[in-house]
Amino acid sequence: MNEFRAPPGTHDVLPPESARWQWLIGCFAQRASRAGFGLIVSPLFEDLAVFQRVGEETDVVRKEMYDFLDKGGRRLALRPEGTAPVVRAFVQHRPLTPFKAYYYAPSFRYERPQAGRYRQHHQLGVEALGTDDPELDVEVMSLAWETARVDVGLEGVTVLLNSLGDSVCRPAYLETLRAFLEARAGQLCDEHRERIQANPLRVLDCKRPACVAATADAPRLVDHLCPACTSHFAAVKVGLDAVGVHFHLAPRLVRGLDYYTRTTFELQSSSLDAAQNAVGGGGRYDRLAEALGGPPTPGIGFGLGIERLLLAADAEGAFPLPSRTVDVWLVDLTGGRAATILAHELRAEGCSCDRSFDDRSIKAQLKAANRAGARLALIVGEEERASGSVTIRDLDSGEQEEVGRDVVVKRTLDRLDA
Ligand code: HAM
């Protein structure tokens, strides 16, 4: 047994599996850029207060944060999620609005590790600040949906949609909900009985059977929205229909972070266990910039969990690992220098190629070529060296031709193009 292993709840992603990550991140970057989002890179740690300010009542902040004192005595935390850092950066730099940014970043939560739940996970996300136009909600949600549905190819993904109202309608609703919950306090689980006053919405999110049963007919926020939130929500629903995003209304959806207002959503996969079936989630946070000391600035975004997207893909047989790592394998039976020079020339022309080292047998080198899924092997043996040529072998058909060393690069590129 090795002395060192990755810490519990973390994992290494090695090649070739990492090729799927690369592909997924690339698809997402392209899709987000096409919609006018620019890459944002912000620190992996922030002042602890940034996260405390946005979610003091949430498990993510109360129980799961990786916080620490640095050598200068600053109280910092590894980011448990991606939104607060982006909004902190927005408030600090005040870019022009609408400000549309996307990111790929690890997040850290001290959770009980299990399949699909890790202490370091990775999110693909976007944040857009500066307008509460419901058309932006539609744009952001369709980006999440298309990433999961089109890029990853998940058929079993559903969008759950809710509105959490705003500072006009939510306070009155919370009073109604508190009264409802107080009347049933004896039936709630211990944890949530204590949180009726501080955060009654959380109780609706509890998965324990006692809470689920006691709150089955709890008042629903969607029935208590003010006129402005009602028409915003209606516009979002019509817009989603218009661009073909299939959604289901989920009046109990409250999400695990407290900054949400109005539109909230989750992408669930039917092929994952219920406790970890959210492959993504997001929503509006129209008060968050203010909470972090900025001007009132509405915003909306989402985070998709890479690990969960890939687990769902595995369960559905979607998004397979590419079978080819390079197009060409160089088989050098003359010591290895010929392969070094040929590889250099081919790569300079944009061709993906690899080679064997250590002067292996032709059998071992061809085996490596097959393992890499290469289409062509370029073979340099003693005979080719003597005659100034290279043998090109098609690894699918076995057909081969001998061409002059001076034309082999062009001939290889032509054959790959054909
Ligand atoms: P979240 O729902 O906490 O939202 O996380 C987003 C996604 O990250 C989840 O749907 C899930 O796929 C993945 N995820 C979360 N925790 C874990 C974990 N412990 N292990 C594996 N995957 C996990 C947010 O973080 C918000 N910042 C999303 C957002 C952006 N809202 C507005 N803008």
Side-chain angles (χ1 to χ4, degrees):
M1 176 92 155
N2 293 335
E3 190 182 352
F4 296 115
R5 305 182 66 79
T10 70
H11 48 259
D12 304 306
V13 186
L14 307 181
E17 168 62 13
S18 54
R20 296 168 90 203
W21 283 60
Q22 222 176 345
W23 183 239
L24 176 56
I25 295 164
C27 289
F28 181 70
Q30 244 182 32
R31 191 173 280 285
S33 320
R34 259 194 332 253
F37 289 77
L39 176 69
I40 181 163
V41 181
S42 68
L44 285 191
F45 54 85
E46 295 275 347
D47 192 323
L48 173 66
V50 169
F51 300 113
Q52 284 175 330
R53 194 79 63 82
V54 307
E56 220 137 17
E57 280 303 323
T58 64
D59 283 355
V60 170
V61 171
R62 288 191 330 156
K63 303 184 190 163
E64 297 167 1
M65 209 126 67
Y66 277 90
D67 53 337
F68 58 97
L69 273 182
D70 78 358
K71 293 187 198 316
R74 293 174 201 86
R75 202 127 174 80
L76 302 170
L78 298 184
R79 55 157 68 186
E81 59 100 42
T83 308
V86 173
V87 178
R88 193 272 310 142
F90 172 83
V91 168
Q92 180 177 337
H93 301 285
R94 308 281 171 99
L96 287 177
T97 58
F99 174 68
K100 294 165 72 174
Y102 79 89
Y103 52 89
Y104 151 65
S107 300
F108 306 87
R109 300 180 186 180
Y110 195 80
E111 302 208 65
R112 195 167 63 77
Q114 51 195 295
R117 195 170 289 278
Y118 310 108
R119 292 189 173 158
Q120 175 175 338
H121 71 277
H122 299 80
Q123 288 189 17
L124 300 169
V126 306
E127 311 295 346
L129 288 113
T131 168
D132 64 1
D133 189 331
E135 299 308 321
L136 178 62
D137 302 40
V138 174
E139 178 173 298
V140 164
M141 288 180 68
S142 67
L143 202 67
W145 161 258
E146 277 153 15
T147 302
R149 196 65 191 211
V150 180
D151 295 338
V152 186
L154 297 179
E155 305 250 327
V157 137
T158 313
V159 176
L160 300 183
L161 176 69
N162 195 15
S163 172
L164 290 182
D166 64 5
S167 55
V168 174
C169 48
R170 191 153 46 176
Y173 165 76
L174 291 182
E175 278 317 310
T176 311
L177 180 61
R178 275 193 194 100
F180 173 92
L181 295 172
E182 286 294 358
R184 287 157 186 79
Q187 300 162 41
L188 301 178
C189 75
D190 292 346
E191 181 185 352
H192 288 108
R193 192 174 317 119
E194 281 160 25
R195 293 177 77 181
I196 295 177
Q197 286 309 319
N199 197 342
L201 276 179
R202 226 0 25 90
V203 186
L204 297 184
D205 201 28
C206 179
K207 305 283 186 292
R208 293 186 191 105
C211 283
V212 173
T215 61
D217 54 354
R220 306 170 344 151
L221 219 173
V222 277
D223 300 326
H224 292 75
L225 296 177
C226 59
C229 287
T230 304
S231 72
H232 189 274
F233 195 37
V236 171
K237 289 184 278 189
V238 172
L240 291 173
D241 278 337
V243 295
V245 174
H246 302 297
F247 62 90
H248 296 279
L249 295 178
R252 292 174 68 101
L253 179 72
V254 300
R255 310 262 310 119
L257 294 153
D258 275 348
Y259 44 62
Y260 291 108
T261 51
R262 292 191 166 174
T263 310
T264 45
F265 60 97
E266 231 163 66
L267 273 73
Q268 288 193 351
S269 160
S270 57
S271 39
L272 297 181
D273 280 354
Q276 286 85 235
N277 65 356
V279 294
R284 280 208 159 270
Y285 42 83
D286 292 345
R287 309 298 297 272
L288 186 53
E290 258 175 295
L292 289 173
T297 314
I300 180 167
F302 67 76
L304 292 166
I306 294 189
E307 289 86 351
R308 291 205 192 160
L309 284 172
L310 294 178
L311 281 173
D314 289 342
E316 288 193 22
F319 207 69
L321 192 61
S323 57
R324 192 185 310 288
T325 54
V326 290
D327 285 327
V328 176
W329 199 270
L330 303 166
V331 176
D332 185 351
L333 307 169
T334 66
R337 178 61 45 77
T340 301
I341 296 168
L342 255 178
H344 185 76
E345 291 175 16
L346 284 164
R347 289 169 188 160
E349 294 299 326
C351 173
S352 66
C353 63
D354 203 356
R355 46 82 59 83
S356 305
F357 293 96
D358 301 322
D359 215 5
R360 312 286 303 277
S361 69
I362 183 164
K363 198 169 153 217
Q365 294 195 43
L366 286 171
K367 200 166 154 194
N370 282 321
R371 213 179 306 124
R375 286 170 61 190
L376 302 176
L378 268 46
I379 305 170
V380 185
E382 287 306 337
E383 265 178 39
E384 284 88 352
R385 175 154 68 177
S387 63
S389 64
V390 175
T391 298
I392 302 180
R393 181 184 297 185
D394 184 309
L395 290 169
D396 294 328
S397 66
E399 165 268 327
Q400 58 183 46
E401 63 173 332
E402 200 171 324
V403 301
R405 173 64 182 84
D406 51 339
V407 296
V408 67
V409 170
K410 179 162 187 328
R411 183 77 188 127
T412 301
L413 296 173
D414 288 348
R415 288 186 66 133
L416 290 174
D417 271 350

